[in-house]
Amino acid sequence: MLRQIVGQAKKHPSLIPLFVFIGAGGTGAALYVLRLALFNPDVSWDRKNNPEPWNKLGPNDQYKFYSVNVDYSKLKKEGPDF
C-alpha cells in the first residue's frame, strides 16, 4: 500500500500535500484517543486498586485538554469528601 502511495505521488506531485495532511490528521486523532484512554479520569484500567478514579481528583487538577480562562491552582473544593 505504501508503494502505491509513493507511486501515485511520483505520477501526481500535487497529491503530496493531501497525503501529508491526511497522515497528520490520522496521527493527531490516534494520539488524542491515546491521551483520553490513559489520562482521562472517566477511564478505569485498574479496578482493584482504584475502582473510582474520578473521586480522587482534587479541585485544582486539570483534566481538560484546553482551558480558556480558568486557573486551576486557585480553585477550592466545594463538595464533601467521599
Side-chain angles (χ1 to χ4, degrees), residues 14-79:
S14 61
L15 291 177
I16 293 174
L18 177 70
F19 294 146
V20 169
F21 285 110
I22 294 294
T27 303
L31 289 174
Y32 183 69
V33 168
L34 184 67
R35 179 196 175 275
L36 287 177
L38 294 178
F39 299 114
N40 197 354
D42 296 332
V43 178
S44 177
W45 292 97
D46 187 13
R47 291 187 182 196
K48 288 183 180 180
N49 296 328
N50 195 6
E52 296 177 345
W54 50 89
N55 284 337
K56 293 188 178 181
L57 285 176
N60 54 0
D61 292 334
Q62 180 180 356
Y63 61 91
K64 288 185 174 184
F65 184 72
Y66 179 71
S67 175
V68 181
N69 289 329
V70 179
D71 187 11
Y72 284 94
S73 64
K74 296 179 182 177
L75 292 178
K76 295 181 181 176
K77 188 171 185 176
E78 297 177 1

